């Protein structure tokens, strides 16, 4: 056994974490982005733990479009153009989305 124990916290079906801290995604999980909380604890000292978030982006099959949720902070001051490009983080065939193609 190692000096650290890694585990996912909460319940997100289709996602597991092994003893090496690797996150596995089960077949059939829908494409998209998910945030998974995980915890690292000192082996044998369950009160010495820390938590963090891992963001996982599951790609769709080849030929698939994948739209990822978008968010923006303040968008330009009043009186100027206000634009949010929702294509920035989306993909087609696992490559950046280019609507001109």
């Amino acid at each position: 056994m190692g000096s650290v124990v890694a585990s996912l916290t909460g319940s997100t079906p289709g996602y597991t974490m092994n003893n090496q801290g690797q996150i596995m995604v089960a077949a059939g999980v829908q494409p998209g982005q998910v945030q998974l909380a995980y915890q690292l604890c000192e082996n044998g000292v369950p009160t010495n733990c820390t938590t963090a978030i891992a963001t996982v982006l599951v790609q769709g099959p080849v030929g698939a479009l994948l739209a990822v949720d978008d968010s923006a902070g303040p968008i330009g001051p009043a009186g100027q153009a206000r634009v949010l490009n929702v294509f920035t983080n989306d993909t087609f065939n696992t490559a950046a989305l280019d609507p001109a193609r």
Side-chain angles (χ1 to χ4, degrees):
M1 254 193 207
S3 61
V4 174
V5 177
S7 62
L8 292 177
T9 61
S11 175
T12 307
Y15 297 88
T16 57
M17 180 178 278
N18 67 16
N19 292 336
Q20 289 78 41
Q22 298 168 325
I23 296 173
M24 278 76 62
V25 182
V29 168
Q30 292 297 311
Q33 184 172 304
V34 64
Q35 290 188 327
L36 303 169
Y38 68 95
Q39 184 176 47
L40 301 177
C41 293
E42 183 179 357
N43 193 16
V45 186
T47 57
N48 186 17
C49 297
T50 186
T51 59
I53 301 291
T55 301
V56 177
L57 178 60
V58 177
Q59 296 288 334
V62 173
L65 283 168
L66 178 62
V68 178
D69 292 342
D70 302 286
S71 63
I75 301 177
Q80 293 186 0
R82 297 174 184 210
V83 178
L84 169 65
N85 184 348
V86 298
F87 294 144
T88 300
N89 58 349
D90 300 333
T91 60
F92 179 66
N93 287 336
T94 70
L97 180 63
D98 180 357
R101 289 183 165 186

